[in-house]
Amino acid sequence: MTTPDAIVVGSGPNGLAAALTLARAGLSVDVFEGAATPGGGCRTEELTLPGFRHDVCSSVHPLVAASPFFLNTDLAARGVRLRTPRVAFAHPLDGGRAAAVVGPVDETARGLGADANAYVRLLAPLVRDAGLIVPVVLAPLRSVPAHPVAVARYGLAGLLPARLLARRFRTDQAQALIAGVAAHAMLPLSAPVTSGFGLLLTMIAHSVGWPVVEHGSDRIVAALVNELTSLGGRVINGCWVRSLNDLPPARAVLLDVSPRALIRLAGDRLPSGYRNALERFRHGPGICKVDWALAGPVPWTAEACRDTVTVHLGGTLAEIARSESDVAAGRHPERPYCIVVQASVVDPTRAPAGRQTLWAYCHVPPGSPVDMTDRIEAQIERFAPGFRDLVLARVTTTAADAERRNPNYVGGDINGGMATLRQTIFRPTTRWNPYRTAVPGIYLCSASTPPGGAVHGMCGYGAARAALADLGMTGVPHRGTN
């Protein structure tokens, strides 16, 4: 076996993005993955019944359609087909009402009644400048952006707590719409930067939509592995790395792991000050996720919920704020905020004819072993009476289960770390280049580095660029070849 130029530990989307960036620059790359298949949280499996394909974690991919790494990766040439629903996401309320993000800003605004003008004033400039804003948000905040006015407009609103931003609106629908998308931050809605999550995801929804991948998210991983292999790289599955000393020599080692795992892998090679900084890194809440095989479509009362893949459940702004505050205080909410995904709305390949797959998760305290299935199903039944009658099979994954299956999900935290203001700017520690560790030649490329969680590849891309710079390799190709 030849000795590679670079080694990547972990084959999630960030690990594979790092490996591809290095391979495109001409380096030989080996990727070591502990699981039997690559992908991290970007896997698709028959979790419930034969013929029902469920995304294990990552499922809806607005950032695959918007991030610089994926925009410069020809996924379509390798069989990845994005399927985008007419409604990007919907938020039902009691009484059969719902708010929804649909296509152009003006069309969404028309559904918000008295808040139409306020919605246009807030979102229209951001959507117009999305191509200027998104690349800055998905990169480390280390320099003055090329388009400071556009970025400042987003940043000033994004720094606000979502609860405060939502108060710009008067109707329950508009306030709930903001609360539901901002709660992806997995923080209390009173926390700074929660608006930033909601605004980023909403401007992307208007710009490119919230698509899923036909047949399942694992097609993204297959495409990345396929290109890596074509460039001479290798993915070695079923190989758990217990220590950096177990790895063959390489010019660069990139780790798609949590800060906690970095400490374990590096051992006494880490200087004490850097180790202490890593130990202060904070992880966020966990999730409890339920996957269902259904006999038919979810019987949502609100029509908009039937036309979308993504539904945010939780009721009003006040109800969602209460749910997220409960989780932050270590409590399990009785009426949890839930993210519900019904890929079968646009992708019939996920289930046998006439059937559907569905998953939902709610936020829970870190490491929770509590099964929230009944509470999640009660929230769905609240807005879709008769839902339980359609259930053919279900599988529940608690936060404790999630960490056992994927060590990067510390305490069930799928975002790779708490998205506080400090950890948005300095992630995982206070360093000029967040991807370089205190050990020369060792880099961190997981979601615990900027810009954080989701399938965008930018953590891996940033770490690989840092490694290439340290190796004196400039002029690296940005686009993959077929």
Side-chain angles (χ1 to χ4, degrees):
M1 295 178 65
T2 58
T3 301
D5 295 315
I7 289 172
V8 177
V9 176
S11 69
N14 283 315
L16 292 174
L20 266 178
T21 303
L22 297 170
R24 289 170 183 172
L27 299 182
S28 59
V29 185
D30 281 355
V31 179
F32 291 91
E33 168 58 48
T37 57
C42 199
R43 291 186 172 96
T44 307
E45 299 176 1
E46 292 184 340
L47 296 175
T48 55
L49 297 172
F52 289 82
R53 290 176 54 78
H54 303 267
D55 291 323
V56 172
C57 184
S58 303
S59 192
V60 184
H61 297 293
L63 288 170
V64 167
S67 88
F69 172 76
F70 280 111
L71 288 175
N72 289 301
T73 300
D74 195 351
L75 293 176
R78 298 186 183 276
V80 176
R81 302 286 180 265
L82 296 181
R83 296 291 178 242
T84 305
R86 186 184 71 85
V87 177
F89 58 86
H91 190 118
L93 293 167
D94 294 322
R97 300 172 298 150
V101 169
V102 184
V105 172
D106 288 347
E107 185 177 353
T108 296
R110 286 195 293 271
L112 298 177
D115 283 319
N117 290 336
Y119 188 85
V120 171
R121 285 196 301 272
L122 177 63
L123 267 301
L126 300 180
V127 173
R128 180 194 64 214
D129 295 334
L132 309 177
I133 297 169
V134 172
V136 175
V137 177
L138 297 183
L141 304 176
R142 293 187 295 171
S143 61
V144 176
H147 304 278
V149 174
V151 174
R153 185 182 292 112
Y154 163 77
L156 290 174
L159 285 171
L160 295 174
R163 192 159 194 166
L164 183 58
L165 183 71
R167 293 301 182 189
R168 293 190 183 187
F169 302 102
R170 291 177 286 167
T171 64
D172 286 346
Q173 290 97 321
Q175 290 184 353
L177 192 71
I178 294 296
V181 68
H184 280 258
M186 300 177 71
L187 292 170
L189 298 188
S190 57
V193 307
T194 44
S195 289
F197 278 80
L199 291 174
L200 175 66
L201 292 172
T202 304
M203 80 169 90
I204 293 174
H206 282 298
S207 302
V208 298
W210 279 23
V212 295
V213 178
E214 185 176 270
H215 296 290
S217 295
D218 61 348
R219 293 300 175 99
I220 298 172
V221 171
L224 298 180
V225 170
N226 184 280
E227 185 188 341
L228 179 63
T229 302
S230 74
L231 295 173
R234 300 185 300 176
V235 178
I236 303 163
N237 297 311
C239 183
W240 288 102
V241 177
R242 309 296 180 185
S243 167
L244 295 182
N245 296 328
D246 297 337
L247 297 173
R251 298 167 66 189
V253 175
L254 287 77
L255 304 173
D256 185 4
V257 303
S258 68
R260 181 183 299 183
L262 169 58
I263 293 171
R264 184 175 64 253
L265 290 170
D268 57 10
R269 295 170 65 175
L270 292 180
S272 60
Y274 182 68
R275 173 192 290 271
N276 292 339
L278 290 174
E279 289 174 343
R280 289 192 293 270
F281 184 77
R282 298 171 62 194
H283 281 276
I287 65 165
C288 180
K289 176 174 180 277
V290 187
D291 288 275
W292 295 272
L294 300 181
V298 180
W300 300 108
T301 303
E303 182 179 353
C305 296
R306 303 176 209 145
D307 295 331
T308 186
V309 167
T310 308
V311 182
H312 296 143
L313 297 186
T316 64
L317 165 65
E319 289 180 281
I320 296 170
R322 185 181 309 118
S323 174
E324 297 304 276
S325 293
D326 280 347
V327 174
R331 300 186 294 267
H332 294 79
E334 286 302 318
R335 278 191 160 187
Y337 161 77
C338 305
I339 298 173
V340 181
V341 172
Q342 44 188 15
S344 297
V345 167
V346 292
D347 181 11
T349 70
R350 300 297 187 101
R355 312 298 195 187
Q356 286 205 0
T357 61
L358 186 79
W359 67 251
Y361 70 68
C362 70
H363 301 152
V364 294
S368 169
V370 174
D371 183 340
M372 297 286 285
T373 300
D374 287 344
R375 284 179 249 194
I376 292 172
E377 289 191 349
Q379 285 288 64
I380 300 175
E381 190 79 20
R382 172 183 172 186
F383 300 104
F387 160 73
R388 285 194 175 105
D389 297 336
L390 297 172
V391 176
L392 302 174
R394 64 174 63 81
V395 171
T396 299
T397 304
T398 67
D401 294 333
E403 182 175 8
R404 279 192 291 270
R405 295 174 188 178
N406 187 336
N408 273 5
Y409 295 160
V410 177
D413 173 12
I414 61 173
N415 275 343
M418 189 174 287
T420 60
L421 177 58
R422 183 182 184 281
Q423 287 194 175
T424 297
I425 301 172
F426 303 113
R427 186 181 183 94
T429 65
T430 307
R431 295 176 70 83
W432 176 251
N433 188 301
Y435 310 108
R436 294 187 178 103
T437 72
V439 182
I442 306 297
Y443 305 84
L444 194 64
C445 68
S446 69
S448 298
T449 63
V455 178
H456 43 60
M458 294 302 291
C459 306
Y461 178 74
R465 297 286 290 177
L468 290 169
D470 291 346
L471 293 172
M473 302 179 68
T474 57
V476 179
H478 284 250
R479 186 167 181 82
T481 55
N482 298 328

